[in-house]
Amino acid sequence: MGKLWKKDEVDPSKKKKTKNEVYASGQYIPISADKARRIINQIGYRYYETGVLLLKFMPYRACYPILKLLYSAASNAVHNMGWNKSDLVISKVEVNKGTTIKKSKPRARGRSSLIKRSTCHITIVLKDISYYTKDQEKSNLIQNGR
């Protein structure tokens, strides 16, 4: 059984993370989650600029909404944090299944058939790579005694 936390203490796993990541999320995007995952797996854990190039030249319809989300996450990083776009890395990408939109299509003899349109929720998280390289340089300077 896990440790019981007192009223004033906070579980360390539930603490808010440091402000070294920026995200953008899109909900109810009319693409199936499997088709979005096919594209997301190609751009995950790459530099921002590489991800944009990959999305621009992929021949899939699902690339456009993902590209818009990636642009949105980068503009959040530049506007809110003041980071440089060339230092951004796609650190985490999530695709979750959304609700299914149901419509009816009229058929012969007064009947109707159901049309199901699946949606998904996509979250893109960006990190600033220069944040980590500066810390590594500082630790190297400390170890070398300079």
Side-chain angles (χ1 to χ4, degrees):
M1 192 154 115
K3 182 180 176 185
L4 297 175
W5 301 98
K6 294 181 182 176
K7 213 176 208 184
D8 298 333
E9 291 181 351
V10 178
D11 184 359
S13 64
K14 294 184 180 179
K15 279 187 179 178
K16 287 192 175 184
K17 297 178 182 174
T18 57
K19 287 287 191 177
N20 61 348
E21 36 180 57
V22 175
Y23 73 96
S25 62
Q27 295 184 333
Y28 305 105
I29 298 173
I31 306 166
S32 76
D34 294 330
K35 290 178 184 177
R37 275 192 202 102
R38 177 176 60 183
I39 295 162
I40 290 295
N41 290 337
Q42 299 294 320
I43 66 163
Y45 307 107
R46 294 183 187 259
Y47 281 99
Y48 162 75
E49 294 168 346
T50 309
V52 169
L53 280 176
L54 283 171
L55 286 174
K56 280 187 177 179
F57 294 111
M58 275 191 207
Y60 303 115
R61 185 181 67 91
C63 289
Y64 182 67
I66 296 171
L67 183 64
K68 283 174 62 174
L69 267 177
L70 191 58
Y71 279 144
S72 175
S75 64
N76 287 344
V78 171
H79 184 264
N80 297 341
M81 299 293 197
W83 294 344
N84 190 3
K85 283 187 180 180
S86 61
D87 295 334
L88 296 177
V89 174
I90 303 168
S91 66
K92 184 178 173 186
V93 185
E94 284 183 353
V95 178
N96 297 321
K97 188 176 178 184
T99 57
T100 303
I101 300 169
K102 296 174 185 172
K103 297 188 271 184
S104 61
K105 182 176 181 180
R107 303 302 293 219
R109 297 185 180 183
R111 297 178 184 170
S112 64
S113 62
L114 198 62
I115 297 173
K116 294 180 182 177
R117 183 82 172 142
S118 59
T119 62
C120 67
H121 309 308
I122 301 173
T123 305
I124 297 177
V125 180
L126 298 178
K127 284 189 178 180
D128 188 12
I129 198 77
S130 67
Y131 177 80
Y132 296 104
T133 55
K134 287 177 186 174
D135 288 344
Q136 289 173 354
E137 290 171 7
K138 287 178 186 176
S139 64
N140 289 340
L141 290 175
I142 292 170
Q143 288 175 354
N144 294 337
R146 291 183 184 175

